[in-house]
Amino acid sequence: MLIDDYLEFVAARCRPNTLLATAYDLKVFFSEIPKEPADVVTADIFSFITTQKKPRRGTKVIRLEDGEAGLSARTIKRRLASVSGLFGHLITGMTWLSSATRCPPGWPVDAEASAGGRRCCEPRCASSRCSSPPRTRA
């Protein structure tokens, strides 16, 4: 359900080939990491990268451009971008949550909406008091 919602979002914003590539990349990711999106942790991402770098057709088959076996860095980056887009969508896609649900830490809550039993966690909300989460310096 969550992935289907994300793919609808991608379909509305991107070209058909981008949608197909994103869907395939997510299929590959969740085939390698058989977990629900909410259960994925950083170690799973690193495991996925390691798996993608392993030789696919034996150790004697290498790419001419860099002499490495496994998938190209470009393919791995594209797949990671698809996964990152999914999780970014899941985080920012929380438009209106019930009052029983808490917003992510550091996100402002619209006081008027909260009084009505709803909380706004959307960074692009129409309310002037409800803005994006505070930025931190890395």
Side-chain angles (χ1 to χ4, degrees), residues 45-55 76:
I45 304 295
F46 290 130
S47 172
F48 177 71
I49 293 169
T50 303
T51 304
Q52 299 299 296
K53 288 183 176 182
K54 288 184 180 175
I76 296 170

Side-chain angles (χ1 to χ4, degrees), residues 28-130:
V28 169
F29 179 78
F30 286 107
S31 295
E32 295 286 332
I33 310 295
K35 293 183 173 183
E36 290 295 317
D39 298 330
V40 174
V41 295
T42 305
D44 296 326
I45 304 295
F46 290 130
S47 172
F48 177 71
I49 293 169
T50 303
T51 304
Q52 299 299 296
K53 288 183 176 182
K54 288 184 180 175
R56 298 280 185 212
R57 298 195 169 122
T59 56
K60 293 187 179 193
V61 178
I62 60 170
R63 289 186 308 277
L64 293 176
E65 65 185 38
D66 59 6
E68 295 286 326
L71 296 174
S72 72
R74 190 174 302 143
T75 300
I76 296 170
K77 287 178 186 179
R78 189 199 71 223
R79 289 182 177 173
L80 290 174
S82 296
V83 172
S84 176
L86 168 66
F87 287 104
H89 176 74
L90 294 177
I91 290 170
T92 61
M94 296 182 282
T95 306
W96 286 99
L97 303 174
S98 70
S99 60
T101 307
R102 301 211 186 280
C103 292
W107 285 57
V109 176
D110 186 332
E112 289 178 16
S114 190
R118 303 175 89 187
R119 292 177 178 226
C120 179
C121 295
E122 173 63 48
R124 294 173 300 279
C125 177
S127 171
S128 61
R129 291 178 303 283
C130 185

